[in-house]
Amino acid sequence: MNDLADLASFDSLLSAEGQALLDDVRDITPEQELAVATRLRRDHPADLVSAAVAQARLRQRAAAKFGEADARRMYFTANGVEQATRTSVATHRAQEFEALGVRSVADLCCGIGGDAIALARAGISVLAVDRDPLTCAVARANAAALGLSGLIEVREADVTEVDTEPYDAVFVDPARRGGRGRIFDPEAYSPPLSWAIGTALKAPRAALKIAPGIPHEAIPDTADAEWISDEGDVKEAVLWFGTAPGRMRATLLPGPRPLTGRGLPDPEVRPVGRYLYEPDGAVIRAHLVADVAEEVEGGLIDETIAYVTSDTLRATPYATAYEITDQLPFNVKKLKALLREREVGILTVKKRGSAVDPEELRRKALPKRHGKASVTVFLTRVAGAPTMLLGHPLP
């Protein structure tokens, strides 16, 4: 939805009739959509009914990111749901800004307003800017729906033409998707990363949201780089300016549980010990595996694989620990026989440094349940050799 017709359709949802329809279809299921829409079209314009049903569907999808209470009141576009920052991550970032003493932020490329909402809830005034008329209308409606209009000004404009000087900080979330999907070249972002960095360097404080897979060599020395995961899933990377140049850190949510790099050398490769540690994805992206290895008195199973092994069991929030029971050369028949012998019924397959498809291996190695036991198998390399490590997670 991005043309004038779509904008008019969205505006109609804000009318009294549109609001009543949204209430009617709030809890609609996919199986009910056709019947309910057919019934409602007898008394309401077909376009309005379609818009209400589509909005209900988007709200249901958005609940995973925004929580059901907010998602039920907010408005979305398909792209907006896909690209918006998860509330837990946006809240963490807003708290970082608040801790830095920031009281006003120019939110450039604001989208549907996810970050602006978190900033406003932290008591920060926000100028939310986007060039798309529909996106601005949705962001404005979201600010009103959540009672934050007094702190959020939405402006339809080209972000490259906005004067950010009056604001304590700048936040830029450039578009990282195009007509063919994700964009991996930072200079192909809209606006390009180089422009965003230039804008950030002019502000007292700034944060740039980027893809977590950004090459470290593309990160300027002036940036404080943070990788963020939520419930173990890497969500984004952020380049901070005006904080700690050159710092590399990982933040794990909920928490937050921060880990700051100390510039340690790569861990040594050692034989597989009793325990295997699988670092959180944000830790790996931030190149902080060495910090985890030192914490658990461990080393790497292979110089190119981010699995840490140790004979010491130590609780750490930055990695999941497994007790290893078997180390075998990769061989499906041997694995199948072992699972049958141990009466395994649940097989979890993880891989790092292996081209094997986990689902295919699971079907071949455990075509039927042999019992109630569960096993985790790691498909990886040990000292360069394809290897299977069997074990189970520890609390």
Side-chain angles (χ1 to χ4, degrees), residues 252-271:
L252 282 57
L253 301 176
R257 291 167 289 171
L259 178 64
T260 300
R262 290 170 290 150
L264 299 177
D266 291 340
E268 293 184 357
V269 177
R270 54 151 289 176

Side-chain angles (χ1 to χ4, degrees), residues 141-163:
N142 285 335
L146 299 178
L148 298 170
S149 295
L151 285 168
I152 300 175
E153 175 195 347
V154 179
R155 183 183 301 174
E156 181 188 333
D158 183 334
V159 296
T160 64
E161 299 176 358
V162 174
D163 178 14

Side-chain angles (χ1 to χ4, degrees), residues 3 7 16 31 35 44 49 51 55 70 90 94 109 183 213 239 250 299 320 336 344 349 359 366 370 386:
D3 58 18
L7 181 57
E31 296 77 17
H44 304 279
V49 172
Q55 192 61 224
D70 279 353
C109 310
I183 296 172
L239 301 183
T320 302
K336 185 176 181 179
V344 171
V349 182
E359 288 300 325
L366 192 66
H370 301 300

Side-chain angles (χ1 to χ4, degrees), residues 3-321:
D3 58 18
L4 292 177
D6 293 324
L7 181 57
S9 178
F10 175 74
D11 286 342
S12 68
L13 286 177
L14 304 180
S15 67
E17 185 179 14
Q19 294 294 296
L21 275 173
L22 285 172
D23 286 340
D24 284 342
V25 301
R26 173 173 290 170
D27 299 313
I28 192 173
T29 65
E31 296 77 17
Q32 297 171 326
E33 279 188 12
L34 180 59
V36 171
T38 300
R39 173 176 58 81
L40 292 174
R41 286 188 181 110
R42 297 170 188 160
D43 302 309
H44 304 279
D47 288 349
L48 182 57
V49 172
S50 296
V53 170
Q55 192 61 224
R57 192 184 307 124
L58 291 171
R59 285 176 166 180
Q60 291 166 7
R61 282 176 52 196
K65 278 190 175 183
F66 291 88
E68 188 170 342
D70 279 353
R72 278 176 170 265
R73 293 186 289 166
M74 292 173 65
Y75 300 90
F76 302 96
T77 64
N79 287 338
V81 172
E82 182 72 25
Q83 298 177 19
T85 303
R86 182 178 293 265
T87 291
S88 56
V89 178
T91 299
H92 161 69
R93 183 163 35 250
Q95 290 170 346
E96 290 261 310
F97 272 123
E98 184 183 21
L100 291 169
V102 169
R103 305 309 304 157
S104 61
V105 172
D107 178 3
L108 308 181
C109 310
C110 67
I112 62 169
D115 279 280
I117 288 166
L119 289 165
R121 283 176 166 168
I124 298 171
S125 63
V126 185
L127 170 66
V129 184
D130 202 282
R131 66 182 179 184
D132 179 60
L134 175 61
T135 300
C136 287
V138 172
R140 198 172 288 113
N142 285 335
L146 299 178
L148 298 170
S149 295
L151 285 168
I152 300 175
E153 175 195 347
V154 179
R155 183 183 301 174
E156 181 188 333
D158 183 334
V159 296
T160 64
E161 299 176 358
V162 174
D163 178 14
T164 61
E165 188 174 352
Y167 300 88
D168 295 340
V170 169
F171 172 63
V172 188
D173 182 7
R176 296 178 301 282
R177 285 182 178 273
R180 297 183 178 180
R182 291 187 184 276
I183 296 172
F184 297 98
D185 177 7
E187 283 307 293
Y189 292 175
S190 180
L193 182 60
S194 57
W195 176 88
I197 291 173
T199 301
L201 291 172
K202 298 174 185 176
R205 312 278 191 187
L208 312 181
K209 180 177 171 181
I210 56 176
I214 186 172
H216 277 228
E217 55 267 25
I219 298 172
D221 295 338
T222 50
D224 166 12
E226 177 188 28
W227 283 260
I228 304 171
S229 68
D230 189 17
E231 300 286 357
D233 188 13
V234 182
K235 294 301 178 185
E236 63 183 57
V238 182
L239 301 183
W240 291 88
F241 295 85
T243 50
R247 180 168 62 177
M248 296 285 173
R249 53 186 170 130
T251 300
L252 282 57
L253 301 176
R257 291 167 289 171
L259 178 64
T260 300
R262 290 170 290 150
L264 299 177
D266 291 340
E268 293 184 357
V269 177
R270 54 151 289 176
V272 176
R274 182 176 179 182
Y275 303 105
L276 186 76
Y277 292 85
E278 181 182 25
D280 183 273
V283 171
I284 295 172
R285 295 283 195 179
H287 293 185
L288 301 182
V289 173
D291 296 80
V292 172
E294 182 179 80
E295 182 177 346
V296 301
E297 300 176 15
L300 299 179
I301 63 171
D302 184 278
E303 64 180 3
T304 63
I305 304 296
Y307 283 137
V308 174
T309 185
S310 175
D311 291 313
T312 301
L313 179 60
R314 183 160 294 167
T316 172
Y318 308 116
T320 302

